[in-house]
Amino acid sequence: GAVVSQHPSWVICKSGTSVKIECRSLDFQATTMFWYRQFPKQSLMLMATSNEGSKATYEQGVEKDKFLINHASLTLSTLTVTSAHPEDSSFYICSARDPRQGRNTEAFFGQGTRLTVV
Amino acid sequence: QKEVEQDPGPLSVPEGAIVSLNCTYSNSAFQYFMWYRQYSRKGPELLMYTYSSGNKEDGRFTAQVDKSSKYISLFIRDSQPSDSATYLCAFTSGNTGKLIFGQGTTLQVKP
């Protein structure tokens, strides 16, 4: 299957600083990528849909100015958590569509990034 | 009513047992039905993908969809300790590609 790589796999940062998470599709071009957030023992919640070359579409309740998403190329999307606070500590996961699969949905996820804000 | 209901478990079974995992949903627009496996501190891995009612088999895994009852199941035969993980059902209408996930069921297969 298609490979999606996410970096870093874990990060610890101080409160008030910004953190950037990268999501790369390694063997296909992803016109659309998705960013999810997962709290312990809870399901994945979609934060935003990232489209190459255009602005991301955010889900209701997700702060656009806090979670900056950039999809500058067909293989890379980034999520920047700005002015991070302890309540932003979570597991962030990206996923990407592989158009070769012929399916109208994304199927492949990155390894996830565990963010801890201290 | 939640859009997707999934019992979080945990579910503990002996090695070799048949495991049944289930989800119910309320959105009639859902057209695609998926099961993901997620190991601790890892991203989800797609296990099964179906788009119609009926059964789909892949090795030890069988996915079952009943659209009339809005109910999907995943069966694992001859369960192994390596199957110990969280299993997430996921749904989409297919128009946007956005997935709606269940809470996930934690499965432990004991040797």
Side-chain angles (χ1 to χ4, degrees):
Chain A
V3 179
V4 176
S5 178
Q6 196 171 332
H7 177 81
S9 56
W10 62 270
V11 58
I12 301 174
C13 72
K14 290 185 178 181
S15 185
T17 61
S18 296
V19 174
K20 179 184 286 188
I21 303 170
E22 292 186 349
C23 180
R24 294 181 184 273
S25 55
L26 297 186
D27 56 353
F28 67 98
Q29 293 182 327
T31 54
T32 306
M33 291 185 176
F34 301 84
W35 287 95
Y36 293 83
R37 183 174 181 175
Q38 186 178 33
F39 290 106
K41 299 189 182 299
Q42 294 189 25
S43 188
L44 284 78
M45 297 300 296
L46 181 67
M47 297 174 67
T49 302
S50 168
N51 296 297
E52 188 267 336
S54 63
K55 291 184 178 180
T57 303
Y58 289 81
E59 295 300 300
Q60 190 175 7
V62 178
E63 298 176 60
K64 300 178 182 181
D65 295 333
K66 181 163 190 62
F67 299 100
L68 300 179
I69 292 173
N70 183 277
H71 194 156
S73 77
L74 286 171
T75 59
L76 174 64
S77 176
T78 60
L79 168 67
T80 301
V81 183
T82 63
S83 187
H85 288 91
E87 58 265 29
D88 297 324
S89 299
S90 187
F91 193 54
Y92 293 87
I93 311 174
C94 70
S95 71
R97 285 183 175 184
D98 181 358
R100 299 172 305 175
Q101 300 296 322
R103 297 169 181 170
N104 191 24
T105 185
E106 85 281 19
F108 302 100
F109 284 77
Q111 310 95 310
T113 298
R114 182 159 302 280
L115 169 64
T116 303
V117 185
V118 297
Chain B
Q1 182 186 8
K2 285 185 180 180
E3 205 165 16
V4 176
E5 298 271 5
Q6 183 177 11
D7 186 340
L11 180 63
S12 182
V13 301
E15 184 175 355
I18 296 175
V19 176
S20 173
L21 304 167
N22 311 293
C23 286
T24 59
Y25 64 97
S26 59
N27 191 340
S28 298
F30 288 153
Q31 299 176 25
Y32 301 88
F33 310 91
M34 287 144 282
W35 285 96
Y36 284 84
R37 178 175 60 196
Q38 185 178 26
Y39 292 110
S40 181
R41 299 178 183 271
K42 299 292 184 182
E45 170 194 10
L46 181 65
L47 279 179
M48 300 288 286
Y49 173 101
T50 57
Y51 57 87
S52 60
S53 286
N55 294 349
K56 181 177 181 179
E57 189 173 317
D58 184 1
R60 295 185 295 112
F61 298 91
T62 299
Q64 190 174 78
V65 174
D66 183 348
K67 285 187 175 181
S68 61
S69 301
K70 295 189 176 63
Y71 186 88
I72 69 170
S73 300
L74 177 70
F75 299 96
I76 307 174
R77 292 183 298 280
D78 187 25
S79 56
Q80 303 296 310
S82 58
D83 294 329
S84 299
T86 296
Y87 290 81
L88 299 142
C89 56
F91 306 80
T92 182
S93 61
N95 294 327
T96 62
K98 296 192 295 186
L99 296 182
I100 306 300
F101 282 89
Q103 187 177 352
T105 299
T106 300
L107 170 67
Q108 183 180 26
V109 181
K110 295 184 177 179

